Amino acid sequence: MDQILFYGVPSGCSFGSIVALEWLGLPYRLSRVEMPEVVQSEAYRRLNPVGETPTLLTADGRAISESLAILNHLGAQGVDTGLAFRQGTPGFDRLNQALGFLNTSFFNAFSPLWYTLEHGVAGPERDALRAYGAAKVAKAHADLEAMLGGQDWLLGQRSLADAYFIGIARWTKYHDVVDRRDYPGLQRLFERLEADPAVQFAHAIERGEPARSTRGFHGEVSLEEALGLVKQAA
């Protein structure tokens, strides 16, 4: 069977894995997971006990969770594309360094802001969390701008790190705590990625609109259908 990516809506970080699959040209299907309702369901937790997206169901029926692990798994299937690198090479180390920063510092900077939004926090607690989150997001942007160092892409060439970046960078539309124009390198990278056909495809998928794949997308399956495929593969 084709590998299946379970992606979270609205605006999950799984967006980056959709872009990566498109760039790599790998055969795949998608399964939509509504957050927070379906992602916390007993059915989805059969695939991912933590109840988070993304989850990748491999062609042989194994479930892989966490974006960093998924992107490394996908990258190993496409080292000849230049988007990822063979383990043990300097390129692999640089890619892992970038993915590690995006996964820990950049992603995590938004956590206090998401908490206030998703849990209806009000009053002084909300103000404190927003101030803390705003400081973390600003620092993460400044650090990432320094890492970019005037290059067109995070590693100097397009890589899976850029795919992961765009899925997180768009969160500023929910949390208006930085002006990306204050970080001109990141702003140029964001605009370049937003114009990319694979990114536009991923946006259309999330919105539930007709989407034209540039590569190996073989359609969507429901969570129930996907779980049935897991049983067959067992």
Side-chain angles (χ1 to χ4, degrees):
M1 68 177 185
D2 289 338
Q3 55 194 336
I4 301 172
L5 179 72
F6 298 82
Y7 68 99
V9 290
S11 298
C13 68
S14 43
F15 187 94
S17 295
I18 299 176
V19 174
L21 282 161
E22 283 288 296
W23 282 355
L24 290 164
L26 302 172
Y28 73 99
R29 302 177 80 181
L30 291 171
S31 186
R32 189 179 188 88
V33 179
E34 301 286 342
M35 301 186 296
E37 301 87 355
V38 177
V39 78
Q40 293 293 326
S41 68
E42 181 180 345
Y44 182 71
R45 284 179 181 272
R46 289 166 56 188
L47 287 170
N48 187 330
V50 179
E52 295 178 350
T53 57
T55 297
L56 181 73
L57 187 64
T58 66
D60 58 0
R62 293 178 295 112
I64 302 173
S65 61
E66 302 296 338
S67 290
L68 196 152
I70 290 170
L71 290 169
N72 271 322
H73 175 82
L74 297 176
Q77 301 175 56
V79 292
D80 58 333
T81 64
L83 296 165
F85 308 90
R86 201 171 304 282
Q87 188 169 1
T89 64
F92 181 86
D93 293 336
R94 291 172 55 239
L95 176 59
N96 258 355
Q97 179 177 303
L99 289 174
F101 178 86
L102 293 171
N103 189 237
T104 55
S105 298
F106 196 54
F107 179 107
N108 188 57
F110 288 90
S111 296
L113 302 170
W114 280 120
Y115 187 87
T116 63
L117 186 66
E118 294 171 351
H119 295 274
V121 179
E125 183 183 5
R126 175 185 181 276
D127 294 340
L129 284 170
R130 278 192 58 82
Y132 178 54
K136 285 172 67 69
V137 169
K139 182 180 186 304
H141 276 73
D143 290 344
L144 198 54
E145 178 82 0
M147 290 168 59
L148 188 59
Q151 302 176 116
D152 287 340
W153 307 97
L154 289 174
L155 298 187
Q157 66 185 77
R158 192 179 66 158
S159 73
L160 297 188
D162 301 298
Y164 192 34
F165 164 79
I166 192 60
I168 302 170
R170 64 204 179 119
W171 288 349
T172 54
K173 73 179 179 181
Y174 297 103
H175 312 292
D176 186 18
V177 294
V178 296
D179 186 340
R180 196 181 300 104
R181 291 172 298 182
D182 292 336
Y183 311 93
L186 293 182
Q187 180 65 22
R188 288 192 297 270
L189 176 59
F190 183 85
E191 292 173 353
R192 185 178 301 110
L193 286 164
E194 282 289 286
D196 186 274
V199 173
Q200 294 176 0
F201 168 83
H203 279 308
I205 284 289
E206 281 196 340
R207 293 192 296 260
E209 298 173 354
R212 178 174 295 180
S213 171
T214 58
R215 307 296 287 276
F217 176 55
H218 291 169
E220 296 210 46
V221 295
S222 68
L223 176 59
E224 292 73 21
E225 289 175 300
L227 290 173
L229 292 173
V230 173
K231 285 184 178 179
Q232 294 174 22

